[in-house]
Amino acid sequence: MENFTAYNPVKLRLGKDIVHELGKSVQKIGKKVLLIYGGGSVKKNGSYDDVMGQLKSIGAEVYEYTGIQSNPLITDVDKAAELGREKNVDLLLALGGGSVLDTAKVTALTIPVDHSGWKFISGEAVAKKGIPIISVLTLAATGSEMNMFAVVQNPETKEKKSVWSPHCFPKESFMDPKYTLTVPKNYTGYGITDLVAHSLEAYFGKGGSSLADRFVYSIIAEAQEYGPQLMNDPDNYDLRAKIMLAATYALNGTTIIGKAVGDWGVHAIGHVLSVLYDVPHGASLSIVYPAWLKFQMHKLEDRISELGENLFNEPDAEKSIAMLESFFESVESPVRLQDLNIGEDKRQEIIEHLVRNKATGNVHKLKDEDYEAIVDLMYAAR
Ligand code: NZQ
Ligand code: ZN
């Protein structure tokens, strides 16, 4: 086991109508609120009306920054920060999925400074403070509601990268599974894929922790049992709640306890697909994971076999990867680039961007010459 520090200050509140408590929480921080959300979904699932009702009840002064897109942009962060600075807001209220939460996180770091939020992502600046954030989550996937990471992309440099800062932790996160009932089937599946991928990034990280491994198996077992059920019964509140909780715990520190660091190489490759072809995050991961595992087989066979035994009762590493792939398909997440109509004419472009972005893991380092084989596996016949 590695030396280890656990820290997670987020007050998590999950349950039906939990947003009725929002006003009190906002009031404790301040009155001037910058509300950030995406396109129209929050107006259809009732969350916008509930949130506005709460803000009205405490007489909050509300400014809105909207239109955050999936695979969020640094340009929106900078514009939202400008508005926040101009109005001197007390807090940010993020209403939506991971893209909205991540935008709010980087905006929180950017409001107090006079440069683009990208400097925090590129590593040119380190955040010394942040505006407080409260989140109301409407999509189960990223775990952003209970972690200190944020991922945004830069349309100019064609990079998608993350920042982590203790100032990115939301003060509180409100999670009412009923808001996720309207999440379309494709994003429901991608969210399930994402939570499995987060567990695996921890599993293939540095250090041995049997307890962390058992958390990984349990979280993935939830996805295995309830993911396909939810795909067939998307209006089921209890199934939505189970997946929501599993997604939060897949990336709130639980799966990494006693370990030094997760790998995150699969995410780095997935981000390149997202920035090039606007691939939804979870969809990129179900394509990259099988390819990455096959590529790492010579080095990680025992570890993959242990995973297979625990998840599928299948000790053969190759068969385990095939079963993981079938699981991704069972939640309607793509497993080859062709499934997203990304033809082989894009092969070279993808390789070039992987090299340029140095898309590698923290532990299992990839060399420039490795990408060809990985990309070929993402195109391989089934
Ligand atoms: O824009 P709207 O209209 O809100 O539509 C959104 C969006 O089109 C829609 N949606 C959200 N809640 C809904 C809903 N539609 C109907 N009903 C609802 N209740 O879903 C679409 C996708 O939303 P998005 O926020 O992009 O999805 P997700 O939560 O999967 O977030 C993905 C982003 O998070 C990053 C990803 O890279 C990606 O940019 N990640 C963040 C992480 C973190 N902060 O810890 C870790 C992850 O590995 C990931 O990288
Ligand atoms: Zn992810």
Side-chain angles (χ1 to χ4, degrees):
M1 195 186 293
E2 300 283 326
N3 289 0
F4 179 73
T5 303
Y7 176 65
N8 195 318
V10 181
K11 185 170 184 178
L12 190 74
R13 316 182 65 162
L14 191 151
K16 202 171 268 177
D17 300 331
I18 196 71
V19 166
H20 293 173
E21 306 286 318
L22 177 72
K24 280 187 231 147
S25 299
V26 169
Q27 212 162 22
K28 276 188 222 151
I29 301 175
K31 278 232 154 159
K32 288 183 166 191
V33 180
L34 178 56
L35 175 64
I36 301 182
Y37 57 93
S41 74
V42 297
K43 299 213 169 151
K44 292 188 194 128
N45 60 32
S47 60
Y48 178 83
D49 288 344
D50 291 351
V51 164
M52 287 307 269
Q54 284 292 305
L55 295 175
K56 208 171 162 199
S57 74
I58 57 160
E61 215 174 290
V62 184
Y63 304 96
E64 296 192 8
Y65 190 90
T66 73
I68 305 307
Q69 66 178 57
S70 192
N71 293 323
L73 302 174
I74 194 66
T75 40
D76 276 318
V77 166
D78 289 339
K79 284 186 207 153
E82 210 177 299
L83 178 63
R85 227 173 277 133
E86 184 193 314
K87 302 297 181 192
N88 197 19
V89 296
D90 299 315
L91 77 147
L92 304 185
L93 183 42
L95 172 60
S99 295
V100 169
L101 267 67
D102 287 3
T103 301
K105 286 175 170 183
V106 189
T107 302
L109 307 183
T110 308
I111 289 175
V113 298
D114 59 1
H115 57 73
S116 166
W118 189 253
K119 286 200 172 183
F120 296 121
I121 313 270
S122 65
E124 286 167 77
V126 175
K128 296 193 182 72
K129 54 182 167 178
I131 303 291
I133 303 164
I134 290 184
S135 87
V136 176
L137 187 70
T138 64
L139 195 163
T142 63
S144 186
E145 62 277 9
M146 203 178 177
N147 69 40
M148 58 154 116
F149 311 115
V151 193
V152 295
Q153 63 185 47
N154 186 328
E156 239 176 67
T157 61
K158 285 209 175 292
E159 289 172 286
K160 184 175 187 192
K161 286 185 158 180
S162 54
V163 61
W164 50 97
S165 160
H167 306 296
C168 282
F169 279 119
K171 295 276 172 233
E172 294 190 33
S173 282
F174 290 79
M175 298 163 52
D176 187 336
K178 85 171 176 231
Y179 296 146
T180 68
L181 290 168
T182 52
V183 175
K185 240 183 154 187
N186 57 354
Y187 275 102
T188 301
Y190 304 154
I192 295 164
T193 296
D194 197 19
L195 82 87
V196 170
H198 294 161
S199 308
L200 294 178
E201 296 283 17
Y203 182 81
F204 290 106
K206 180 167 183 266
S209 165
S210 52
L211 183 58
D213 284 354
R214 284 176 208 262
F215 280 130
V216 164
Y217 304 143
S218 300
I219 289 169
I220 298 180
E222 291 283 293
Q224 284 177 287
E225 182 164 354
Y226 303 117
Q229 284 184 36
L230 177 56
M231 297 303 287
N232 289 323
D233 189 9
D235 298 333
N236 187 314
Y237 174 91
D238 288 325
L239 292 173
R240 289 281 183 189
K242 283 177 189 293
I243 293 298
M244 204 172 195
L245 192 55
T248 301
Y249 273 75
L251 194 50
N252 71 351
T254 302
T255 55
I256 198 81
I257 51 163
K259 298 183 75 159
V261 68
D263 185 63
W264 297 104
V266 169
H267 269 68
I269 297 171
H271 291 336
V272 168
L273 298 179
S274 291
V275 87
L276 282 178
Y277 312 115
D278 204 21
V279 175
H281 176 61
S284 75
L285 302 173
S286 52
I287 293 171
V288 183
Y289 242 116
W292 184 91
L293 288 168
K294 285 172 201 166
F295 178 78
Q296 301 288 3
M297 180 72 115
H298 64 289
K299 193 162 121 191
L300 294 175
E301 185 169 358
D302 289 351
R303 193 78 176 129
I304 298 169
S305 156
E306 197 181 331
L307 182 75
E309 192 151 4
N310 282 281
L311 296 186
F312 307 114
N313 208 12
E314 175 53 75
D316 182 85
E318 239 169 77
K319 286 186 190 156
S320 305
I321 298 170
M323 289 173 92
L324 181 69
E325 206 167 293
S326 301
F327 168 72
F328 288 145
E329 289 179 306
S330 75
V331 293
E332 299 176 27
S333 222
V335 293
R336 292 293 184 278
L337 288 165
Q338 295 89 319
D339 297 345
L340 295 179
N341 296 320
I342 300 171
E344 297 215 25
D345 55 318
K346 303 291 185 207
R347 182 177 176 274
Q348 210 45 43
E349 181 174 63
I350 298 170
I351 294 168
E352 275 166 28
H353 277 81
L354 289 170
V355 172
R356 195 188 306 164
N357 281 276
K358 297 187 179 42
T360 187
N362 294 317
V363 188
H364 307 291
K365 298 283 182 200
L366 296 170
K367 298 192 215 77
D368 289 357
E369 56 268 31
D370 295 339
Y371 296 124
E372 279 198 25
I374 295 176
V375 172
D376 284 345
L377 287 163
M378 293 196 261
Y379 280 117
R382 267 173 260 181

